[in-house]
Amino acid sequence: MDAYMGIDVGSVSTDVALIDANNEVIDYVYIRTQGQPIKAVQKALMELRDRLNGDVNVKGVGTTGSGRQLTGLMVGADIIKNEITAHAIASSSLIPDVHTIFEIGGQDSKIIILRDGIVVDFAMNTVCAAGTGSFLDQQAYRLNIPIEKFGDLALESKNPVRIAGRCGVFAESDMIHKQQMGYPLNDIINGLCEALVRNYLNNVGKGKDIREPIVFQGGVAANKGIKAAFEKALGMRVYVPKYYGVMGAIGAAILAKEAVKKKGYTQFNGFEIADFEYKAQGFICSGCSNNCEVVEFIKDEEVVSRWGDRCGKWSNSTNKNIFSQSVS
């Protein structure tokens, strides 16, 4: 079976998705990055390779996420795109007339505004990670509740408690105070969900023209309490797609399919990259007063790329340069 691969490497999770020619998902892998993006990508590809057992012919690959450039060089990406574009493409393929995308992941959150299938506005959280997946994981751990049950408990609440949600530190201290006052746990959790949604809409969504249809994606979309809080605050229906957690990877796969159609071939290095030894290391170039920090990407003890220098002294000394192609 011919397939197209998308890889979304973020600070918390690494996602790989395979789609067919009709943009239908064949398989996907969602794992924790754990601060090691190279190993996370290799682990994800090994899982896919073992499950598919050679039944898939990868015709193109695209990368996105904060680790998109490094991953693109490693796998031989046909296209490298930012998360905004990848998420917009994936949502548009599911709901062609989507107007608003809420995306909340492990460490960041985004809002994307589309009109006629084109991104016309977007915003991301800048300083505080309140409301992201890592913050919710932390609160679930503190309360000794599986994160999978967080949303269900919120929906059981009849009288949500008002929680300060503008800051993650304040939200946690306010939750502890409400617990000490004896409020029911489900009311506190529901209050937290509503507080985090207020924080999102007042910061990330501030001034944005939010219209239906609305798609909610990213790992936090699994939380039914957050979805319900969005619908309550907006008075609008919020749609959570089936593959909400890997939408960035799906978007990258769709973009790879289009890129390969134009050039007629793929640069994919194959599933064998899971077996190679990769590492990245840096050094300071003292050749001039710029003191550039140069990064080397090494495959099996061979330097395959360098970047980070302003003059090109080091990046031009290798056959491959991660920034030699136009990426956005």
Side-chain angles (χ1 to χ4, degrees), residues 122-257:
F122 71 91
M124 299 178 65
N125 67 330
T126 53
V127 179
C128 185
T132 60
S134 57
F135 176 75
L136 289 170
D137 281 345
Q138 178 186 355
Q139 297 312 309
Y141 177 78
R142 188 180 65 81
L143 296 170
N144 196 28
I145 298 171
I147 187 61
E148 295 81 11
K149 295 184 178 180
F150 220 66
D152 292 326
L153 283 172
L155 295 183
E156 293 175 4
S157 168
K158 302 300 181 183
N159 299 294
V161 176
R162 180 83 177 185
I163 301 290
R166 187 170 293 275
C167 166
V169 176
F170 292 160
E172 181 171 347
S173 62
D174 204 15
M175 286 178 66
I176 293 172
H177 176 63
K178 295 299 193 297
Q179 284 179 266
Q180 291 170 339
M181 292 178 67
Y183 285 99
L185 194 57
N186 54 5
D187 286 345
I188 293 174
I189 292 173
N190 194 11
L192 177 64
C193 291
E194 293 188 355
L196 299 184
V197 165
R198 285 197 307 273
N199 180 44
Y200 178 94
L201 295 175
N202 290 331
N203 290 282
V204 182
K206 185 176 182 179
K208 304 303 178 188
D209 184 13
I210 298 174
R211 301 183 193 174
E212 296 180 278
I214 301 170
V215 174
F216 182 21
Q217 54 202 43
V220 176
N223 190 315
K224 299 174 185 177
I226 298 289
K227 175 183 179 293
F230 268 124
E231 293 180 329
K232 179 179 177 180
L234 295 169
M236 303 177 186
R237 182 173 180 266
V238 175
Y239 174 72
V240 176
K242 180 179 179 181
Y243 300 106
Y244 59 85
V246 295
M247 293 293 279
I250 292 171
I254 295 171
L255 289 164
K257 184 182 73 170

Side-chain angles (χ1 to χ4, degrees), residues 11 33-37:
S11 57
T33 304
Q34 296 181 323
Q36 302 182 82

Side-chain angles (χ1 to χ4, degrees), residues 19 23 76 86 99 126 166 173 182 242 256 260 307:
I19 63 169
N23 296 344
H99 282 151
T126 53
R166 187 170 293 275
S173 62
K242 180 179 179 181
V260 170
W307 65 91

Side-chain angles (χ1 to χ4, degrees), residues 3-44:
Y4 301 88
M5 179 185 293
I7 305 174
D8 182 1
V9 181
S11 57
V12 173
S13 70
T14 292
D15 321 318
V16 182
L18 284 172
I19 63 169
D20 62 19
N22 297 316
N23 296 344
E24 296 292 331
V25 176
I26 299 170
D27 202 351
Y28 70 91
V29 173
Y30 179 98
I31 63 173
R32 297 279 182 170
T33 304
Q34 296 181 323
Q36 302 182 82
I38 293 174
K39 290 186 177 180
V41 170
Q42 289 182 303
K43 180 181 177 182

Side-chain angles (χ1 to χ4, degrees), residues 42-96:
Q42 289 182 303
K43 180 181 177 182
L45 290 179
M46 279 191 284
E47 285 191 23
L48 275 178
R49 180 178 63 182
D50 293 344
R51 288 212 298 253
L52 297 170
N53 197 27
D55 292 336
V56 166
N57 177 31
V58 177
K59 303 284 286 185
V61 59
T63 62
T64 190
S66 57
R68 61 186 179 272
Q69 288 97 345
L70 184 65
T71 306
L73 177 63
M74 176 181 168
V75 303
D78 298 294
I79 192 167
I80 302 172
K81 281 291 182 180
N82 61 68
E83 305 98 302
I84 301 299
T85 302
H87 281 285
I89 288 290
S91 293
S92 296
S93 71
L94 293 176
I95 304 177

